[in-house]
Amino acid sequence: MEVIVTIERRKSPVESSYIETFRVDLPDSANVIMILMEIRKKPINIKGEKVSPVAFECSCLEEVCGACTMNINGRARQACSTLLRDLGGKINLAPLRKFPVIRDLIVDRRKIFDALKRVKAWIPIDGTYGMGPGPKVPEKVQRIGYKLARCMSCGICMEACPQVNDRSNFIGPAVIAQTYLFNLHPTGAMIEEDRLETLLEDGGIGECGNAQNCVKVCPKGVPLTYALGKLNRDTLIYSIKRLLDT
Amino acid sequence: MSCEIIIIGGGLAGLSATISACEKNLKVKLFSVLPVKRSHSVCAQGGINASVNSKGEGDSPYIHFYETIYGGDFLANQPPVKAMCENAPNIIYLLDRMGVMFNRTPEGFLDFRRFGGTKYHRTAFAGATTGQQILYALDEQVRRFEANGLVEKYEGWEFLRAVIDNKGVCRGIIAGNINNLDINYFPADAVIIATGGIGMIFGKSTNSYICNGSAQSVLYQQGVKYANGEFIQVHPTAIAGLDKLRLISESVRGEGGRIWTYKDGKKWYFLEEKYPSYGNLVPRDIASREIFKVCVEMGLGIDGKNQVYLDVTHIDRKTLEYKLGGVLEIYQKFTGEDPYSKPMKVFPAVHYTMGGLWVDFKQMTNIPGLFAVGECEYQYHGANRLGANSLLSCIHAGLSVGDNVLNYISSLSERCEDIPLKIFESEKSLVVSKFEQYKRLNGAENPYLLHQELGEIMTENVTVVRYNERVLATINKIKEIRERLNNVNILDSSDFGNQTLFFVNQLYNMIELALVIAKGAYLRNESRGSHYKPEYPHRDDQNFLKTTIALYDKEEPVITYEDVDLSILKPVERKYQ
């Protein structure tokens, strides 16, 4: 099928964006990544001008790494798992809006990883030397934990969240859900209070406006609002306890 | 004094190495082209092997060791494989302590499933996204060291060259920032390479887009020995795609999935018929050859195409969702068909690089100070890797390398700060001038099309079945592509985020490694593991129970052979009937 692809491009972070349109012919089973790969093989726009290939990030191409996340026809999703047959003949591509653009469709999502550091999203093990098996985990905890642990830090939930914007420091739904994951684990829970403390700070869970967009757009079905709800309760209990202890 | 080391690659091997180095109080600069959390290890689906024997089947690390050597057709050096299998239960326990959400038994213990090349339940798993889950756990531990100041990440930087001093010792690296194109040198007392597989050389494979082997190739061109290059694993079950061949995990068969096609109008379970005791769980090289035979030679592929059925429709939906959800979701998303009610259509695809940078038992290459761990080295899988041994080999090597690096550094008489800066400067200017040259390329060829050509000819002639005449023609074709590469167009004049610039550099390197693979295949006149030649259908221990060693030469690689360490197990004929 023939598709007309309009791409919001940018040469570097300091330059302003511009629109460029391409015509590509691909089978309808192709994904959006294939469009960008075709453009590399023949970087000529619809006006017949030779242009630079469109820069984009991709890696796994099967929706587990999160690299190729972008806005496709106004909705943030992974370009690898978005197929042409679901899009029609006119396609708009643009970089994610909630992150600084590096070039064309590539954005800098470092703030997600920085936030993971802030909430201590890890299990504080003593070391890697052999200490025997870990704590027993009930199957029902594993089931919910596994769902949370599939978050690939792609940023789609932040893109959809009205509370993530220039005027707030909100760390976003993904990182908050990870906080819950680590509090769920028997060893992770040993520093639960550190994490709850962080969530009560500026940019923490108090910023959530309960719009619930996040859970609707998450490509991996991570139970984001479930985790947010649980942590709302946990932070509340923790802050009351903290008040009583002082 | 604190020592600084450099680790290239943030997959399972690189992150494990980082953790082991940090535990020795070594400061680490961690380089990765992508944020490490997006490394290719996320694609590993089925699980990780360890003989914990929690099902009372009488499994043991020794049996695991035996089956790994046997599965690899006796080409692997035996002592390191034995050490890996003995360490495997510890590794599983450690990952469990790190919070990996492994599947559980109803009593809350770790669950294990079956995989190819064994009859034991030996594979721990987290749904069907085990690699992703383990990578995240290691990523989190590394983030903890990062927060403590022991790790400094260089994400978005690509390794371009090792700095080797006039005594032949590795003293650091040259790397380039893929966004602002800054090329710089980074001194270090030791460098660990953990850059994974090389699937991109075959164009389309189950590998991620970043798995191009460029780093390994650069090192090979700098004098590092490259071992067993011709041993490329072709996974039996992947879905065809225009951009990549997506893996459908072996765990699907481990949980009871069956391979079949129609013969004379009836369902034909050809693996079960030919290999009654292992059935659908024969090792990957064998399964791939059988599927290839059924489709290509006998013309019995489904709908006349190169595809067979992988069928799970007889298994109940709840079990499938809990144990295989992640991989069935991939099938559904990309084909639009429901694998729960309709058999999946699959065909073999390039999947894993058994060969790689030569290392000694301490993971050090022939260049002192330069170590390699993970898929980029050759040590653990011989001529064919067993499923679910790759995650294990990455983590085992990574966790053990910290000690070796520390011992190496303590033995150094000169530290990297004693090395004159001009060595680093001159190595840097070599790379800078090469990139300046690339920027001036304004010929007629498109580098991406040239890469496609390379991939097609490699896939056609140097995968499941290899004929000498065609492999030789491939070698000549690769050399032709190498010539034509000098006539490419760089397409992009930008000094910011110029991806073509890096791609052209990678393509030069892919071509050199393609020659290593093809020439190694051409000269090995036998069939062993993944390497199969109809003209030489049997294993020839007398002439070829040897490690292939490729050394760089401008025209084509110089191939020699080294003895294999057979100190524990005596080679026997490999059969799975």
Side-chain angles (χ1 to χ4, degrees), chain A residues 11-13 26-27 29-31 33-34 37 40-43 50-67 80-81 83 85 102-103 106 109-110 112-113 116-117 121-139 141-143 145-146 149-154 178 181-182 184-185 187 219-220, chain B residues 19-20 23 33-35 37-40 42-43 45 90 93-94 96-109 125-129 132-133 136 139-141 143-144 146-147 155 179 206-210 242-247 322 325-326 329-330 333-336 399 446 448-449 452 489-494 496-500 503:
Chain A
K11 288 202 167 85
S12 78
L26 282 165
S29 61
N31 57 11
I33 289 290
M34 275 306 295
M37 287 185 173
R40 285 176 166 181
K41 290 175 195 165
K42 200 179 152 208
K50 274 191 188 171
V51 297
S52 59
V54 179
F56 64 101
E57 211 171 54
C58 74
S59 183
C60 79
L61 303 176
E62 53 193 53
E63 207 192 70
V64 276
C65 81
C80 67
S81 56
L83 307 184
R85 64 167 167 254
I102 293 174
R103 186 178 172 186
I106 304 176
R109 284 172 278 185
R110 225 174 321 178
I112 304 177
F113 302 115
L116 285 171
K117 220 184 292 174
W122 53 70
I123 305 291
I125 60 166
D126 286 349
T128 61
Y129 37 87
M131 304 278 287
K136 253 201 218 177
V137 174
E139 195 178 337
V141 174
Q142 189 273 341
R143 280 178 192 261
Y146 176 68
R150 290 187 71 199
C151 170
M152 52 190 181
S153 303
C154 69
Q178 292 304 295
L181 168 66
F182 292 97
L184 203 61
H185 188 273
T187 316
K220 292 287 129 182
Chain B
I19 293 167
S20 74
E23 285 192 328
V33 286
L34 281 175
K37 195 175 176 177
R38 311 204 193 284
S39 300
H40 174 63
V42 295
C43 289
Q45 298 171 345
N90 275 331
Y93 292 148
L94 170 64
D96 185 27
R97 284 170 48 218
M98 285 179 182
V100 174
M101 286 293 162
F102 284 120
N103 279 50
R104 299 279 163 174
T105 65
E107 200 183 326
F109 288 105
F125 60 103
T129 58
Q132 179 198 42
Q133 294 302 305
Y136 289 1
D139 173 56
E140 287 143 13
Q141 294 300 322
R143 192 166 289 111
R144 189 175 165 214
E146 195 187 4
E155 291 171 327
N179 296 325
T206 66
N207 287 186
S208 292
Y209 194 72
I210 52 173
L242 294 163
D243 54 335
K244 95 170 274 193
L245 308 171
R246 294 179 176 84
L247 177 68
Y322 184 42
E329 174 188 296
I330 288 176
K333 272 201 173 153
F334 288 95
T335 66
L399 288 180
N446 177 296
Y448 297 102
L449 285 172
Q452 188 177 327
N489 196 301
I490 200 67
L491 305 173
D492 191 344
S493 57
S494 168
F496 199 90
N498 188 333
Q499 296 183 317
T500 320
F503 185 77

Side-chain angles (χ1 to χ4, degrees), chain B residues 66 68-76 78 231 285-286 289 382-384 524-546 564 566 569-576:
Chain B
Y66 180 80
T68 301
I69 293 293
Y70 186 87
D73 234 347
F74 291 89
L75 196 62
Q78 297 175 357
F231 290 95
D285 55 330
I286 297 174
R289 273 196 291 279
N384 169 64
R524 186 175 278 275
N525 282 330
E526 64 156 354
S527 290
R528 179 187 302 273
S530 66
H531 173 73
Y532 172 65
K533 278 188 177 173
E535 298 152 292
Y536 302 90
H538 301 293
R539 196 172 90 188
D540 175 0
D541 282 354
Q542 197 162 7
N543 293 306
F544 289 107
L545 181 43
K546 292 200 161 66
V564 177
L566 305 165
L569 299 169
K570 203 171 147 263
V572 293
E573 193 194 343
R574 175 179 178 254
K575 47 187 182 191
Y576 287 90

